[in-house]
Amino acid sequence: MAEFKYPYERAAMLGEELPDGLDLVDQLNFLALRSLYAQVRAGAIDRGTGSREKARLGYQYDRWIRMLMVREGAVKASVRQLKDVELAANAYAKERTLECADRMYRALYGVSP
């Protein structure tokens, strides 16, 4: 159970205070790990149980991080699309040409008409 996957895991194992600068997901992970290590030290659970639970925590942590990354990517894509649409709409408002209309279509749908 002493293989460290996270930069704060050793501190969690030693029962240290929650480090500054962690985001919420890492704060919760730190606290869960600290509790898990304390339970093993206290004999409330055996080392094998601790290792299995640590693996489950790691799986859920990785899953959560991947989900956040996907959401962040979707938000960035939406922002980029809104910016492109705004630029195309402004161009079309100034110059009502087929070229400008095509540009707006591409901004909205991601393909040429």
Side-chain angles (χ1 to χ4, degrees):
M1 200 166 93
E3 183 180 317
F4 300 130
K5 179 176 179 179
Y6 311 99
Y8 47 78
E9 189 171 348
R10 183 173 192 68
M13 182 188 76
L14 297 172
E16 294 177 5
E17 187 175 343
L18 181 67
D20 290 332
L22 298 179
D23 62 24
L24 180 62
V25 175
D26 283 308
Q27 287 179 355
L28 294 173
N29 194 44
F30 174 88
L31 294 172
L33 288 168
R34 186 175 68 184
S35 175
L36 193 58
Y37 281 116
Q39 290 175 50
V40 171
R41 267 194 317 277
I45 60 174
D46 62 43
R47 193 174 178 90
T49 300
S51 291
R52 287 189 299 278
E53 290 184 1
K54 179 182 164 189
R56 281 187 248 155
L57 279 172
Y59 172 80
Q60 291 300 328
Y61 175 89
D62 292 344
R63 186 172 166 260
W64 186 257
I65 294 299
R66 282 191 306 274
M67 183 185 68
L68 289 176
M69 290 172 63
V70 166
R71 287 184 180 180
E72 183 180 327
V75 168
K76 285 180 179 179
S78 293
V79 167
R80 190 171 37 254
Q81 182 186 31
L82 285 173
K83 179 183 150 212
D84 292 346
V85 168
E86 181 69 22
L87 291 171
N90 287 335
Y92 184 76
K94 292 176 185 172
E95 188 180 339
R96 297 175 58 106
T97 65
L98 184 56
E99 242 179 46
C100 289
D102 287 349
R103 181 177 168 194
M104 188 170 340
Y105 190 95
R106 275 191 304 278
L108 285 168
Y109 300 110
V111 294
S112 294

